[in-house]
Amino acid sequence: MEKSYLSLFALITLLSLAVAAYEFYSQPQGWSSQPLASNQTPTGPTFNHQLHTQKLGLDCRYCHTGIQQNSQRAGLPSVESCMGCHAYVGKELESLETLRQSYLKQQPIQWKISNQLPDHAHFHHGKHVEAGLKCQTCHGDVQNTTSELGRDKPLQMQWCLECHQDPHASVDYSLDLKKQDQTQTTKMRDCQTCHH
Amino acid sequence: MSSLEDKKTMKSHQLQRTDLAGENPHGHLHRREFMKAAGLLAGFGQLLGCTKEPRELIPYLNEVEKGTQFQNQYYATFVEISGQAQPLIVKSLQGRPLKVEGNPRFESSAGSTSLFAQAELYNLYNPKRLQFPLNKGKKAVLSEVNEQLIQYAKGWQKNGGNQTVITLPPLSSPGTLKRLAKLKEKFPKLDFVTLNPLARSVQVEKKLIRPRYNLKNAETLITLDDDMFLATSDAHYNARQFMQRRKGAITKHDDSRMNRLFCYEPQLSQTGVKADKRVALSPSQIKKVILKIGELAGLKETPIETDETIQVEANKIYQILKNSAPNALLTLGEHYPDQWKKRVWAINQKLGAEKATFSLEEVNYFPDQISLKTFKKNLLNEKYKTLIDLGGNPLYFFSQKNFQEAFQNIEKTLAFALFPQETTKISQVVCPLKHDFETWKLGRESLGQVTFSQPLTQAFFPSFSHDEVLATLLEGKPQKDRDLFQKDIQTLYQINDSKKVLQTGKQKDERPKTFTDQINVSWETEAFENKLELVSYPDPSVLFGEYSHNPWAQEIPKPVSKITWMNAFFLSPELAKGHNLKTGDFIEVQTDDGSAQGPVSLMKGMAQNTITTTWGYGRQIQDPDMDGKGVNAREALGDKSLSGAKITKLQKTPYQFATTQKEFELEEQTVLERLSYEELKERTPSPQKSEPYTSEEFQSSPQWGMTIDLTTCIGCNACTLSCQQENNIPFVGEKEVAKGREMHWIRVDTYRVPVTDNETLHFQPVTCVHCEEAPCETVCPVNATVHSEEGTNQMVYNRCIGTRYCSNNCPYKVRSFNFYAYKNNFEKPLEFILNPDVTVRARGVMEKCTYCVQRLNAYQRNEPDATPDGKLQTACQSACPTQAIQFGDLTEASNPVQVEHQSERYYDLLAELGTKPRTGYLADVKKTEKMLHKSKGERH
């Protein structure tokens, strides 16, 4: 009796471990998995960053207003603020149908998340921009993407730490952190700076 | 599951908290079988656990005001509890109210909050709320309720509201009171009755009068069965004044400010714990003491015959009062009948307390209502054909059988309520009420100030506010609370632009009219029967039943008994012995008005011949876990609070109370330091003090630290709940609490310390003390708990693998473990309550106090929305009504926390372990017996 239970138990555990491992590594959205390959971009409504930033010359902060307010969140623009232009511009474009429908039906657009952090990691957009980091450092070549925006960097803790442990070596800063208060760089290594 | 052994070998110097009991959580399984089952479960769990839901980012549809989109907003608002508004500042993010703080613009709050104000946030999101109107048990829409109201109003046009009664909860809003008066004027035959469970106020001639204490001036405070510090009415204001005076005396060694507190009470109360001297007396003994003092003061003409104890105590009280008059105050509990309150007021007036400590004030109220007595008579005579309940819940208020039957005879019942309750159960039409955070409204706080508030969020469910219901009845057409609010502030306060009052919550300082007449009261009484007595008090966690639906409140351990999720009959071990009772045994208590059943709990320090209990249990609220549970004192007492009683033991399986503290007696002094006021003067900084932040690791700035002042702590649990709200701490339910698995990050211990032929009592809040030499850190196999350079002990949830070694090695027992996936408890719409800045912990993860690290981070990042007023405060600190908790940077010389770290009262908890804690304690200072009786001239 004892034995049969035990072997059953072991078998199920092994099996489930195997399945779990498979699921874990096959999930592109998983927070500790590899960067998204080009064929793994989430499907959903898309936005042409290249057109808006390169051709029209809009600054990232024009739409992602949270950054300017020293806020944790960069934020997405409201549908109404998109319509601020698109009520006049591109009225005939089919690609803007989702936006127009959203505005008319008063149903928010559901964007898919491609850069997602786990719940136990808190990233502060405002602070990173304040330190002189460029959006591209983490988000990649956003200004040259025309449709789906994938994940450019792995967003794994190891990758975060490359910079947090030695900010000078890895990233081009517009501010010299050495001149800044020493505690700032000390604080960067504290677990609870991000995990709280 | 090795904790039972751990408990047995637990060293004597370890604090008792969790006997992480229960070898297995399923009771009937044996350990081996359990391990197998757990293995299977774990396997399946893994199968399910790794699936990641794809997530969406959903932006706003319409542009919102700049700044409100991503930043915390702080709104002035209030909640009305037992007819008193408690002014608040509520943090709101993207339309979700997230954290309740006090409104410092009001003296009654001074920035602090009560347990109940904190619990209100849960009530807003509570999934148990009534979510739609009901018509004869079927889901209905609001317009049907409106129609019904309009029909009533039409009918009353003809008959003036005959045979109709409107039952009200205690209400303070001047707008609502005006509307009630208009309604009565329009339909003169309508009956109104306020179901006020407890009132400090008494009707004197045509006015409603209440006492106002000024404890700033009170050198001597004597309470007679008055739990002044229990969070009702203006308790926290009083506690703050008393403690500020005491703290001032202690820190400055200013003898003239050192006050003294005597408590005479049947049951050990929160105030009793803080008393310098406490004497157990039964209610009838207290009444006799009052009569005797009246006689000594020359108010009562005929002498009273009493036994010697009463004579002695009354003489003592009178002498003390007389010696320190006018800076003395005598108070009596709110639950005594009116003439007794008046007698005590008369004594205060006679002693000249009105010069310093005591005054009487007029209370704004709606005078044209019938008394409870008339209502009961009418009800039994079947006078009423229609009952409209605006949230007073008469079916619980009158739980006795004869009234229950009488309610069944009412033809039409319309009930408004926030939650399903007794009255909604029998009503044909039921309509949800708006929560205080969903309405435009006026209110009056306990010091008489009017406060204004706008909704923090749109109503979650189709619902009405009190004002909307009354206005619909009055005007015969539906009304909106916003318009009513605008109208009210215009007509009552001549405010045209509501912006300013809404920003601050306040218009101008105003005080209610004082009542200066001498109180005339007859001192003749009926003879006292020598009987067992039953007394009921407001419950420290559910009040009168308002928070029965609230698991946050239910799981708060009651300050003295430490029982959770339940109440009981409390009696002394001697009385229990006489009736052959043990804790958990069920009894039936019979009075002249009815009888109630429930389990008993033995408590030391009770008066002889007295049984006490609390309101708010034994309910019928459509919650299988709570229905019928506990003592429904209303069944035995009705609308009274005191009565003679008889008890019979019932043959039932004893009840297992879920308590959070098992041992109350304390012998080791390193846990809790107490000093007498004389000892304080001789004391140099405690030998039990380490030198923190001296080591090399901690040279940077800031270095965080905290102090908890045991002298001023009143054990109210506001910190515990504020912490729970801020840090997404789950509740676990009664069964898990019984196993010692409660998750609170702060626990308030109550200790009894034996001294020569008496005992002294103390509260001690304990939370993670952030040791510099932390025992938890050295035993974690995965480095999940580490130290920051700012001196905080960090818990890294994503590293934790749940070995629980840290908890075992923690001498303070302040770590709690997620035995289950409690995050699943946050069902809709409760998930909105979660603080987005704090990780929701998964199953199998250890957690503990973080010094509110998310607040520290936001503050250090200079986020403009980090705090409402720019001051850095932890959640416990900001909630504390007596400012017993200080927090800040120890490297700042002028920081209060640094000053307190240098105080001679400072000591390290369990200093002999050398853990170098960052949270220090300030010793509890009381006056000793010897000093208490010295009169003014011969003071030290």
Side-chain angles (χ1 to χ4, degrees):
Chain A
M1 191 66 184
E2 283 277 294
K3 244 187 183 169
S4 64
Y5 256 125
L6 211 72
S7 50
L8 188 67
F9 163 69
L11 187 71
I12 289 180
T13 313
L14 273 176
L15 258 174
S16 56
L17 268 176
V19 175
Y22 171 77
E23 281 208 14
F24 193 71
Y25 287 107
S26 62
Q27 288 266 334
Q29 295 97 330
W31 47 264
S32 58
S33 56
Q34 297 303 306
L36 290 170
S38 55
N39 59 349
Q40 283 179 323
T41 20
T43 51
T46 57
F47 178 82
N48 190 338
H49 277 95
Q50 192 193 33
L51 176 71
H52 287 85
T53 58
Q54 298 287 75
K55 285 204 180 146
L56 302 172
L58 295 183
D59 193 279
C60 307
R61 290 167 296 184
Y62 186 81
C63 297
H64 303 290
T65 52
I67 303 165
Q68 269 178 317
Q69 299 162 12
N70 188 14
S71 163
Q72 262 189 48
R73 304 152 191 92
L76 291 186
S78 67
V79 171
E80 200 175 55
S81 70
C82 297
M83 288 302 283
C85 292
H86 286 297
Y88 310 100
V89 183
K91 270 163 105 173
E92 69 289 347
L93 283 178
E94 205 181 305
S95 53
L96 292 178
E97 195 53 29
T98 321
L99 178 69
R100 280 191 293 269
Q101 285 306 318
S102 160
Y103 186 69
L104 287 172
K105 290 182 183 159
Q106 289 287 295
Q107 294 285 329
I109 299 178
Q110 306 216 339
W111 299 97
K112 289 277 182 281
I113 300 183
S114 51
N115 287 285
Q116 187 188 340
L117 283 182
D119 290 346
H120 57 250
H122 296 262
F123 181 82
H124 197 281
H125 275 92
K127 203 69 199 171
H128 285 83
V129 172
E130 192 188 287
L133 269 173
K134 296 196 179 85
C135 306
Q136 287 88 338
T137 313
C138 305
H139 291 290
D141 204 11
V142 182
Q143 74 271 31
N144 289 321
T145 50
T146 51
S147 59
E148 293 97 343
L149 184 65
R151 186 203 290 168
D152 190 66
K153 294 290 187 301
L155 304 190
Q156 285 170 318
M157 187 166 143
Q158 190 188 2
W159 174 77
C160 298
L161 280 179
E162 275 171 23
C163 188
H164 270 232
Q165 282 177 338
D166 189 4
H168 314 289
S170 40
V171 190
D172 173 31
Y173 279 87
S174 54
L175 286 177
D176 188 357
L177 278 177
K178 267 184 199 158
K179 282 185 199 154
Q180 287 214 330
D181 185 2
Q182 192 59 38
T183 51
Q184 296 239 353
T185 44
T186 323
K187 183 94 181 158
M188 280 170 67
R189 292 192 297 270
D190 257 0
C191 300
Q192 285 193 336
T193 298
C194 311
H195 302 296
H196 50 75
Chain B
M1 311 282 129
S2 61
S3 331
L4 269 194
E5 289 83 7
D6 296 340
K7 196 206 166 192
K8 279 176 205 148
T9 56
M10 199 161 76
K11 287 176 200 146
S12 63
H13 60 241
Q14 289 193 333
L15 297 192
Q16 287 214 356
R17 180 212 194 166
T18 43
D19 44 334
L20 295 163
E23 289 228 354
N24 67 63
H26 302 287
H28 56 279
L29 281 174
H30 288 295
R31 185 185 151 87
R32 256 160 207 276
E33 286 169 80
F34 166 70
M35 288 308 285
K36 284 175 206 158
L40 282 173
L41 278 175
F44 286 121
Q46 276 164 346
L47 271 176
L48 301 168
C50 286
T51 327
K52 293 246 162 10
E53 282 173 40
R55 292 201 199 169
E56 282 85 33
L57 264 177
I58 301 171
Y60 276 89
L61 258 175
N62 300 312
E63 196 57 35
V64 289
E65 203 181 323
K66 191 168 180 259
T68 61
Q69 198 171 354
F70 308 111
Q71 293 185 349
N72 298 323
Q73 305 295 308
Y74 296 91
Y75 291 102
T77 180
F78 65 86
V79 288
E80 193 163 6
I81 297 165
S82 298
Q84 309 266 15
Q86 294 198 8
L88 304 173
I89 300 282
V90 174
K91 175 174 112 176
S92 170
L93 178 66
Q94 298 181 339
R96 294 156 49 194
L98 280 177
K99 181 74 186 73
V100 170
E101 308 280 9
N103 188 343
R105 287 191 186 87
F106 288 86
E107 227 185 317
S108 62
S109 156
S112 72
T113 41
S114 70
L115 166 73
F116 303 114
Q118 298 282 345
E120 280 292 340
L121 189 73
Y122 190 99
N123 271 1
L124 172 70
Y125 296 109
N126 200 333
K128 289 177 194 153
R129 271 179 72 177
L130 282 171
Q131 307 198 348
F132 41 80
L134 288 166
N135 193 352
K136 300 196 180 85
K138 279 195 206 111
K139 190 173 169 176
V141 286
L142 270 189
S143 58
E144 287 175 57
V145 180
N146 257 330
E147 238 165 68
Q148 187 98 36
L149 289 173
I150 291 163
Q151 251 179 31
Y152 280 135
K154 270 186 195 155
W156 298 343
Q157 297 275 11
K158 287 177 210 138
N159 66 9
N162 201 10
Q163 297 184 322
T164 305
V165 63
I166 299 186
T167 51
L168 307 162
L171 294 167
S172 72
S173 160
T176 317
L177 295 181
K178 185 195 73 187
R179 223 154 262 128
L180 284 168
K182 273 193 185 164
L183 207 58
K184 177 76 185 173
E185 202 177 291
K186 195 167 175 193
F187 309 114
K189 284 181 183 164
L190 267 182
D191 277 353
F192 292 89
V193 61
T194 299
L195 305 180
N196 195 353
L198 201 61
R200 257 190 214 282
S201 50
V202 168
Q203 194 137 1
V204 179
E205 287 134 30
K206 282 237 147 175
K207 290 169 179 159
L208 197 63
I209 305 299
R210 60 158 292 161
R212 170 75 57 211
Y213 309 137
N214 186 354
L215 298 184
K216 256 185 211 154
N217 297 336
E219 195 234 327
T220 304
L221 172 61
I222 302 182
T223 65
L224 301 175
D225 197 2
D226 183 10
D227 198 354
M228 277 194 112
F229 300 161
L230 176 71
T232 56
S233 188
D234 47 359
H236 283 176
Y237 172 73
N238 288 335
R240 188 160 47 248
Q241 291 219 317
F242 182 87
M243 290 307 175
Q244 268 171 0
R245 184 178 164 126
R246 174 160 285 200
K247 191 157 184 172
I250 290 169
T251 46
K252 297 197 183 104
H253 295 269
D254 179 358
D255 295 354
S256 63
R257 287 183 70 190
M258 187 63 190
N259 46 17
R260 44 188 180 171
L261 170 60
F262 299 82
C263 269
Y264 294 82
E265 56 182 11
Q267 166 192 281
L268 180 56
S269 71
Q270 244 173 284
T271 318
V273 173
K274 297 312 290 179
D276 296 302
K277 185 180 164 65
R278 181 183 170 273
V279 178
L281 288 182
S282 72
S284 62
Q285 284 177 312
I286 280 173
K287 287 178 183 169
K288 284 180 201 161
V289 166
I290 296 172
L291 292 178
K292 187 74 199 168
I293 299 172
E295 184 194 319
L296 291 168
L299 290 160
K300 181 174 162 59
E301 280 150 16
T302 46
I304 170 181
E305 302 242 329
T306 53
D307 52 63
E308 217 187 306
T309 22
I310 305 292
Q311 298 262 10
V312 173
E313 292 299 343
N315 263 319
K316 254 194 224 164
I317 295 174
Y318 181 66
Q319 284 309 323
I320 295 167
L321 286 173
K322 219 175 101 187
N323 286 340
S324 56
N327 296 322
L329 177 66
L330 182 70
T331 71
L332 179 70
E334 293 161 328
H335 51 287
Y336 281 77
D338 288 358
Q339 82 264 30
W340 289 101
K341 288 184 208 162
K342 285 204 231 167
R343 283 172 191 149
V344 172
W345 299 352
I347 294 172
N348 277 320
Q349 287 185 330
K350 178 84 185 179
L351 287 165
E354 276 186 310
K355 283 190 208 119
T357 59
F358 177 84
S359 59
L360 291 168
E361 288 176 359
E362 289 178 24
V363 182
N364 281 50
Y365 79 120
F366 164 53
D368 288 329
Q369 27 183 332
I370 54 171
S371 65
L372 283 177
K373 211 169 146 192
T374 322
F375 174 68
K376 287 197 286 190
K377 204 178 75 197
N378 289 347
L379 187 69
L380 293 177
N381 292 340
E382 302 191 12
K383 186 194 162 188
Y384 300 121
K385 295 257 183 312
T386 312
L387 167 80
I388 301 179
D389 175 34
L390 283 184
N393 198 13
L395 263 89
Y396 181 60
F397 203 86
F398 298 101
S399 287
Q400 293 129 301
K401 242 191 189 154
N402 47 346
F403 293 113
Q404 293 286 312
E405 281 158 14
F407 279 116
Q408 302 290 345
N409 294 332
I410 296 177
E411 280 169 23
K412 285 184 197 158
T413 316
L414 169 56
F416 294 87
L418 208 54
F419 293 102
Q421 52 194 21
E422 290 78 359
T423 308
T424 60
K425 223 172 149 183
I426 65 141
S427 301
Q428 287 88 11
V429 181
V430 176
C431 179
L433 270 182
K434 277 184 184 161
H435 187 272
D436 280 348
F437 291 160
E438 298 171 335
T439 42
W440 293 86
K441 63 196 185 306
L442 294 167
R444 205 180 276 278
E445 44 92 271
S446 60
L447 296 179
Q449 304 262 12
V450 176
T451 164
F452 307 81
S453 141
Q454 61 192 319
L456 282 156
T457 173
Q458 219 171 21
F460 287 174
F461 310 114
S463 49
F464 283 132
S465 73
H466 288 133
D467 283 323
E468 284 173 334
V469 176
L470 293 174
T472 310
L473 287 171
L474 204 57
E475 313 277 333
K477 57 176 193 258
Q479 306 278 320
K480 281 265 159 269
D481 56 350
R482 182 176 184 154
D483 306 333
L484 297 170
F485 175 82
Q486 295 290 357
K487 224 185 277 170
D488 284 348
I489 60 170
Q490 254 165 19
T491 53
L492 292 169
Y493 303 101
Q494 292 78 46
I495 302 169
N496 291 318
D497 178 16
S498 58
K499 204 170 161 190
K500 204 182 151 222
V501 289
L502 288 175
Q503 261 173 9
T504 55
K506 184 173 182 179
Q507 190 188 21
K508 55 176 189 276
D509 278 320
E510 51 164 346
R511 276 290 159 95
K513 245 197 255 164
T514 41
F515 179 85
T516 44
D517 297 3
Q518 289 297 310
I519 293 291
N520 281 319
V521 59
S522 141
W523 286 80
E524 295 314 308
T525 51
E526 293 158 25
F528 289 96
E529 285 175 63
N530 195 10
K531 238 183 167 181
L532 204 59
E533 289 171 86
L534 174 67
V535 202
S536 188
Y537 298 93
D539 193 272
S541 52
V542 304
L543 215 52
F544 304 98
E546 286 96 324
Y547 298 93
S548 300
H549 305 76
N550 192 314
W552 276 3
Q554 288 276 15
E555 202 157 291
I556 286 292
K558 327 247 162 181
V560 176
S561 65
K562 301 292 167 193
I563 291 175
T564 60
W565 291 93
M566 184 66 178
N567 72 347
F569 286 117
F570 296 100
L571 37 84
S572 66
E574 295 80 21
L575 182 65
K577 210 173 169 194
H579 288 84
N580 192 21
L581 291 166
K582 287 190 303 294
T583 290
D585 286 347
F586 279 80
I587 56 168
E588 179 166 8
V589 177
Q590 279 162 313
T591 69
D592 297 338
D593 300 297
S595 72
Q597 297 186 354
V600 299
S601 175
L602 309 195
M603 189 188 276
K604 277 196 203 163
M606 295 267 310
Q608 292 305 309
N609 268 338
T610 311
I611 309 171
T612 66
T613 186
T614 59
W615 304 119
Y617 282 85
R619 303 209 49 187
Q620 297 296 330
I621 53 177
Q622 295 170 33
D623 176 349
D625 292 335
M626 291 315 294
D627 279 359
K629 187 172 159 192
V631 177
N632 182 357
R634 296 266 176 228
E635 285 175 352
L637 289 166
D639 54 338
K640 290 189 291 185
S641 290
L642 306 163
S643 176
K646 261 196 329 220
I647 57 176
T648 5
K649 187 177 175 181
L650 300 174
Q651 293 306 321
K652 264 191 177 176
T653 343
Y655 190 83
Q656 296 289 331
F657 289 105
T659 55
T660 57
Q661 191 181 350
K662 311 278 191 273
E663 297 296 328
F664 294 88
E665 247 134 90
L666 188 75
E667 275 150 27
E668 299 240 3
Q669 284 295 301
T670 60
V671 171
L672 190 136
E673 276 197 31
R674 53 191 190 84
L675 295 171
S676 70
Y677 187 55
E678 300 106 313
E679 284 168 338
L680 176 75
K681 294 186 173 169
E682 265 101 69
R683 181 153 151 138
T684 44
S686 165
Q688 296 194 14
K689 180 178 186 301
S690 59
E691 279 302 321
Y693 60 95
T694 43
S695 64
E696 259 176 44
E697 296 164 71
F698 306 118
Q699 289 310 314
S700 65
S701 173
Q703 293 296 324
W704 303 116
M706 185 183 266
T707 47
I708 299 175
D709 189 342
L710 300 183
T711 305
T712 50
C713 172
I714 54 165
C716 69
N717 278 318
C719 53
T720 309
L721 202 49
S722 179
C723 170
Q724 185 162 18
Q725 195 178 92
E726 171 75 18
N727 292 302
N728 299 339
I729 302 170
F731 57 91
V732 297
E734 190 183 15
K735 276 185 193 159
E736 293 296 300
V737 174
K739 290 174 191 161
R741 291 175 179 178
E742 70 277 1
M743 300 290 293
H744 298 145
W745 288 0
I746 306 174
R747 68 172 191 274
V748 184
D749 289 334
T750 306
Y751 288 120
R752 293 163 177 266
V753 183
V755 291
T756 35
D757 57 77
N758 205 338
E759 57 178 6
T760 68
L761 299 135
H762 308 271
F763 287 125
Q764 183 178 43
V766 186
T767 175
C768 176
V769 293
H770 294 266
C771 319
E772 285 184 5
E773 306 288 340
C776 53
E777 290 171 12
T778 50
V779 293
C780 180
V782 291
N783 249 358
T785 181
V786 290
H787 229 79
S788 79
E789 302 191 27
E790 293 173 358
T792 59
N793 173 259
Q794 304 176 323
M795 183 65 223
V796 190
Y797 306 125
N798 38 320
R799 275 186 187 169
C800 179
I801 56 167
T803 61
R804 292 180 282 143
Y805 293 171
C806 55
S807 180
N808 260 339
N809 214 33
C810 172
Y812 307 99
K813 291 285 163 273
V814 287
R815 289 173 159 264
S816 44
F817 185 67
N818 287 275
F819 279 90
Y820 292 100
Y822 295 118
K823 62 175 180 175
N824 298 343
N825 287 357
F826 296 98
E827 56 187 294
K828 252 183 185 164
L830 202 51
E831 56 198 8
F832 291 133
I833 210 172
L834 294 170
N835 183 353
D837 293 337
V838 177
T839 307
V840 180
R841 278 78 65 187
R843 181 182 180 175
V845 170
M846 192 58 81
E847 59 184 68
K848 60 149 199 100
C849 161
T850 62
Y851 272 170
C852 286
V853 64
Q854 65 283 2
R855 289 188 177 202
L856 306 186
N857 285 350
Y859 182 78
Q860 283 175 302
R861 285 183 197 125
N862 292 321
E863 285 179 30
D865 58 338
T867 65
D869 48 6
K871 271 193 289 183
L872 173 66
Q873 288 190 312
T874 59
C876 50
Q877 179 190 14
S878 67
C880 181
T882 53
Q883 282 129 24
I885 300 176
Q886 294 292 345
F887 176 83
D889 181 2
L890 291 171
T891 59
E892 255 177 60
S894 60
N895 198 312
V897 73
Q898 167 62 7
V899 175
E900 291 198 344
H901 263 255
Q902 307 307 326
S903 158
E904 72 273 26
R905 284 194 295 143
Y906 180 95
Y907 73 96
D908 283 347
L909 193 56
L910 302 179
E912 72 275 20
L913 301 178
T915 53
K916 289 182 150 186
R918 278 288 173 89
T919 299
Y921 287 81
L922 299 182
D924 195 353
V925 177
K926 288 189 177 187
K927 280 197 162 182
T928 54
E929 185 94 352
K930 205 174 87 199
M931 277 189 75
L932 278 173
H933 297 290
K934 287 206 169 134
S935 61
K936 261 187 189 168
E938 40 180 338
R939 236 193 268 111
H940 274 271

